[in-house]
Structure formats: C-alpha cells, structure tokens
Amino acid sequence: MHSLTPSSGISPKSVRRAPPFRLVPSRLVTQSAYRFDSANVPNAAAAANAPSPPPSLTNYSGGVGRSRADWQSSCAILASKVVSQQQDTKTAGGADNLTAVNGHKTLDLVPIDNLPRPLTITDLSPAPMHGSDLRVAYQGVPGAYSEAAAGKAYPNCEAIPCDQFEVAFQAVELWIADRAVLPVENSLGGSIHRNYDLLLRHRLHIVGEVQLPVHHCLLALPGVRKEYLTRVISHPQALAQCELTLTKLGLNVAREAVDDTAGAAEFVAANNLRDTAAIASARAADLYGMQILADGIQDDSSNVTRFVMLAREPIIPRTDRPFKTSIVFAHDKGTSVLFKVLSAFAFRNISLTKIESRPHRNCPIRLVDDANVGTAKHFEYMFYVDFEASMAEVRAQNALAEVQEFTSFLRVLGSYPMDMTPWCPSRGD
C-alpha cells in the first residue's frame, strides 16, 4: 500500500469513491487503508485499494466525505443499518422455520444432533470375542450335527443354516456371518474332501476345532413300525456308518443319500412319508415331530466328527496351551519331495495328526519325456498336513522354512487351539 502525499499529484476528487468495508452475513468487516499523511487527502488511499462492494450495498445513503469526520459519520450510519438487518433476520426466522439471509428466506439447516449416524464396520458385522452375539454359519438345517458343533464351539451363538458348504464359506466372506463351522473328517467315514477343496479355494482361516460324538437314531413318523419301511434316507456318511446295524435290524430297505441328516428327517415329516425312515439325531426327532425307532445305530460307538471353525482373520498363535497347525503344499519334482517334507517335522519332533492328498486341479497330470522309454504320466497332488505345534514356536517356524525350500506352493491354513475336552463314547450330545 502506497502513501499518498500532496506532492503526488492525485486529487481526491479524481478518485472513485468506494466504501472501505465489506459486509458478510452475521458480521460487519471494516477494511480501511486510511493513512493520515495530510489533512487535505484523508481518503485517497482507501478509495484506491478498497475492494468493490456487493451490488446490494452500492447504493447507500451517506457516502464517504472529503473529511475524516464525514468518513466516521458514514461508518456509524452503516453500522446501525447492519444491526437493524440482523434484528429483522431473527424476527423472520421465528415463524415457519424460515431464515432470512441477505433478504432471502431459506429453510433452516438440520440440527447436528438430528443427523443420522454413519454406519461403521461394527454395525455391519459385530464380531465379539464371546459366543453370545456371534453369528455362526453351518451346512444343513436345524437339528443337524453341524448345528450342535456350532453350539459346542460358540455357546449361545446365533446359528445360521446354509444349504451348501460353499454358501457357508461365502456367508463369512460377505460379512453375513462371523464364523463358519464345517466338518473335515470323521473317525469312521474319513475325510470330507469337498471342504478340503473349499479351504484352498477360499481365503478364510482356521481359528479352532471341535470334536463332536455322533449318535445316530432311526426316525420315522409317529405310529410307523419298522416292518412297514421300504426306504431309509440320510447323508451318505451316515448311511455308511450305520450299514451293519441296519442289516442286523432285519431291514430290507433301499438306502438313498440326501444332503444332510436333519434334512432327511425334515423331508420325511414335511411329505408325510410313512414308508420312509431317516437317520438323524435325537434333536431332529424333537424338532420335526418324529419318533425314534432305534437309538444309537452307528456301527462303532467311537464315532466322532471333527469340525473346524473358520473366520476372516487368523488368531494370534500362543504357546501356553496345545496348538495345532494346518498347512497345504504342492511340489513339482515327484514324490521324493514328500519324504523330505515329512523329515522336516520328524527331525524336530513334531507329531503329524493328519496327511491328506487331493488332486492338483490346476495341473492334475505331469508329463515326463524320456527318449528311451517314452512319456511318463504322473498325477499331481496337493497335500494337507496337520501337526501338533503352534506357529509361535521356533521349531514350527524352522520346519516350515525348510518345507518351503522343497515345495512350489505352501500355505498356512491356520494355527489354532486343539480341542482337549473330555469325551464319553457311550452317548453323544
């Protein structure tokens, strides 16, 4: 900002007059570049440098005069007008919830306290540590053994039935459920291969296991006798686990497989099939109003199914209790690598509890050309291994570091606490 003196040659009359302030809603901002260098030119600098006022304020009474007293008088008049305008705004806003801003009526803004709260991750999927509010997906319908396993793993949880194993995986991935409880092996029927394939296809983590005694019952509609039966339906593994007992009962019936045990009981009850029985749990009989024709018909009393609990995030491994770790690996140098992999655990005194092979879907066959004998075809497999050690232990970390040197693919499915609950083989839950 330049100082103006009488010697500068600028006359106050030649300078365009402009108000030395700018008015914004709710307050008055006064801007003045006044510098008193001479009594004759008090307002020249302010007139030159002041910003242009809004159009609504250009025509005001009482402009800037030629003296300091005139300028102060103009400011006082304008200040009184602003106070009067603010009082009019408050009066206009009292009725019909309208607020006058710069002479225009507008609706009041919504108060901050009444605004809706934005959703958070906690709202979309609460994942508490305890089972009281946990949502657990399982395959089957109410009364299935998977539902009992979910209740054993997470007491008082909200069990979510799914019609397929794949749906249970997707329920956790899509935040519809917090956990999934799925069977992976049975002491009589062996591994459930479908779930092993799904473990590799999806990115969920094993966070625990539960072993559930299986107690099969032969169910039929009330009043139906065994002699009237022509068909028995149930899950394929349940039929295999009760095959000898069904023969001892003298039942000359057809055996048909369905998706799950409780679903078989539901199907018989819903369709009023008096010539068909179902193999399911005692809880399924209570839920669907069926009678128990024979109790405990499994061929072996030591019939246990192992379930794994799946979550979106892994748990932190610990060393203060027994842990189990599940891995899957593949190799591309023949079966000789398998011996080296197993030796990595044997040298460190790590016990293996399970080893399972599944076809390598991306590369099921490996061709080896030999000029002397021709082309050899080798089947390629993925190997699933469970071993008793926590990933927090140094020996487990060193074992996997060695395994990684011999394999083309290695993935840790989870490191989780072992199920150490006592079990009585005479009667299931």
Side-chain angles (χ1 to χ4, degrees):
M1 181 167 55
H2 300 283
S3 174
L4 296 180
T5 62
S7 59
S8 60
I10 299 178
S11 174
K13 295 182 179 182
S14 63
V15 179
R16 181 178 59 89
R17 293 181 178 179
F21 65 90
R22 182 175 56 195
L23 181 65
V24 297
S26 75
R27 67 172 183 171
L28 175 66
V29 179
T30 303
Q31 294 180 345
S32 175
Y34 178 79
R35 180 173 179 178
F36 187 74
D37 288 341
S38 175
N40 298 326
V41 284
N43 298 322
N49 296 323
S52 299
S56 60
L57 300 176
T58 54
N59 298 323
Y60 59 87
S61 61
V64 178
R66 297 173 55 93
S67 66
R68 180 181 181 86
D70 294 339
W71 179 81
Q72 292 176 340
S73 176
S74 299
C75 290
I77 295 174
L78 291 172
S80 63
K81 289 186 177 182
V82 171
V83 173
S84 176
Q85 183 182 8
Q86 290 177 346
Q87 293 176 351
D88 294 340
T89 300
K90 293 180 180 180
T91 303
D96 301 330
N97 293 328
L98 294 178
T99 302
V101 178
N102 291 337
H104 300 282
K105 292 185 177 181
T106 60
L107 290 175
D108 283 338
L109 296 177
V110 179
I112 296 297
D113 296 337
N114 297 334
L115 289 177
R117 183 176 59 87
L119 291 176
T120 63
I121 294 296
T122 305
D123 298 321
L124 294 177
S125 179
M129 296 299 296
H130 305 288
S132 58
D133 298 325
L134 213 60
R135 298 168 298 180
V136 181
Y138 69 93
Q139 188 274 331
V141 298
Y145 293 106
S146 294
E147 183 193 34
K152 182 179 180 181
Y154 303 104
N156 301 321
C157 68
E158 179 187 352
I160 302 177
C162 304
D163 59 351
Q164 300 177 22
F165 292 124
E166 176 82 20
V167 176
F169 277 84
Q170 293 179 355
V172 180
E173 291 177 331
L174 298 177
W175 295 70
I176 300 174
D178 304 302
R179 301 285 189 274
V181 174
L182 299 172
V184 291
E185 60 179 325
N186 179 265
S187 57
L188 301 181
S191 300
I192 292 124
H193 297 137
R194 174 62 176 167
N195 285 338
Y196 276 99
D197 295 338
L198 291 175
L199 283 173
L200 185 61
R201 181 180 305 175
H202 295 268
R203 301 298 299 182
L204 299 182
H205 303 269
I206 302 177
V207 296
E209 68 171 2
V210 59
Q211 298 180 0
L212 184 74
V214 177
H215 193 85
H216 290 309
C217 300
L218 185 65
L219 310 181
L221 292 176
V224 174
R225 301 174 58 182
K226 291 186 292 184
E227 294 78 8
Y228 300 155
L229 299 177
T230 61
R231 182 176 60 164
V232 174
I233 62 175
S234 189
H235 189 272
Q237 289 223 9
L239 292 173
Q241 294 165 10
C242 303
E243 184 175 1
L244 296 179
T245 304
L246 292 177
T247 303
K248 292 179 182 179
L249 292 175
L251 297 179
N252 186 16
V253 293
R255 296 163 173 82
E256 295 184 10
V258 294
D259 291 337
D260 60 274
T261 55
E266 182 188 35
F267 179 78
V268 173
N271 295 277
N272 196 27
L273 302 177
R274 306 191 65 83
D275 63 340
T276 303
I279 298 177
S281 63
R283 170 172 163 76
D286 296 336
L287 289 176
Y288 304 111
M290 303 183 69
Q291 67 172 338
I292 299 178
L293 298 179
D295 191 8
I297 63 174
Q298 61 272 6
D299 297 337
D300 193 333
S301 59
S302 300
N303 186 5
V304 181
T305 299
R306 175 173 170 255
F307 295 80
V308 294
M309 290 97 82
L310 305 176
R312 289 178 292 272
E313 299 294 336
I315 63 174
I316 299 176
R318 297 156 53 183
T319 58
D320 58 345
R321 60 172 299 180
F323 259 64
K324 182 183 292 186
T325 301
S326 299
I327 65 172
V328 56
F329 64 88
H331 56 84
D332 53 5
K333 297 181 180 180
T335 56
S336 61
V337 175
L338 183 59
F339 172 77
K340 298 178 181 178
V341 170
L342 299 181
S343 298
F345 297 101
F347 291 158
R348 293 169 176 84
N349 197 26
I350 298 177
S351 299
L352 302 184
T353 59
K354 181 179 180 61
I355 180 170
E356 177 81 17
S357 62
R358 294 292 297 153
H360 198 316
R361 293 185 176 271
N362 295 331
C363 183
I365 297 179
R366 178 170 54 90
L367 302 179
V368 179
D369 294 328
D370 193 322
N372 297 325
V373 298
T375 302
K377 301 178 181 63
H378 299 280
F379 293 101
E380 293 295 329
Y381 291 94
M382 306 287 294
F383 290 92
Y384 296 82
V385 173
D386 295 341
F387 59 88
E388 294 181 350
S390 171
M391 283 304 299
E393 300 180 48
V394 177
R395 59 171 184 160
Q397 299 172 9
N398 294 336
L400 291 188
E402 183 176 345
V403 169
Q404 195 170 15
E405 297 178 1
F406 305 128
T407 58
S408 58
F409 169 78
L410 173 64
R411 176 180 162 191
V412 178
L413 298 175
S415 187
Y416 47 91
M418 297 175 57
D419 183 8
M420 304 298 292
T421 57
W423 166 70
C424 179
S426 60
R427 176 82 182 182
D429 293 339

